[in-house]
Amino acid sequence: ILTHEYVRKRDTVNGYARCISCGKIMKEGTFHAGHYYAAGKYENLRFDLDNIHAQCPQCNYYMHGNLENYRPNLIKKIGEKR
């Protein structure tokens, strides 16, 4: 849980964050800490900070991570190697 709180603070600027998948701007406290590699399936990556980023509820929950858009934005954010 502390990891998710850290991610929410890390990805917030002036009270807002951008969804890594769709780019939607979200007010602090309204977004999820979304995993690229699902925490339930990839237990070893559950708390990996490169795997967790601000994500809107629509992309994270209803679109199961919206991974087709998550990936290119993740590469832009942390690079291909990481």
Side-chain angles (χ1 to χ4, degrees):
I1 295 176
L2 293 177
T3 303
H4 293 152
E5 289 173 18
Y6 172 82
V7 168
R8 288 185 187 103
K9 294 223 181 282
R10 177 196 67 190
D11 292 354
T12 300
V13 178
N14 296 324
Y16 294 89
R18 181 180 300 272
C19 176
I20 193 152
S21 295
C22 71
K24 178 181 178 179
I25 303 295
M26 305 161 289
K27 188 170 176 62
E28 186 173 8
T30 65
F31 59 91
H32 295 178
H35 294 74
Y36 182 72
Y37 290 103
K41 188 172 182 181
Y42 298 92
E43 192 67 35
N44 59 322
L45 296 175
R46 177 182 294 271
F47 301 111
D48 185 322
L49 294 174
D50 282 347
N51 187 48
I52 312 166
H53 301 274
Q55 198 171 44
C56 72
Q58 178 70 27
C59 286
N60 188 39
Y61 186 76
Y62 296 104
M63 297 178 73
H64 307 286
N66 190 2
L67 300 180
E68 67 184 46
N69 290 314
Y70 195 132
R71 180 175 166 63
N73 293 321
L74 180 61
I75 291 170
K76 287 178 196 171
K77 185 173 181 179
I78 67 170
E80 182 85 38
K81 190 172 183 170
R82 281 174 53 201

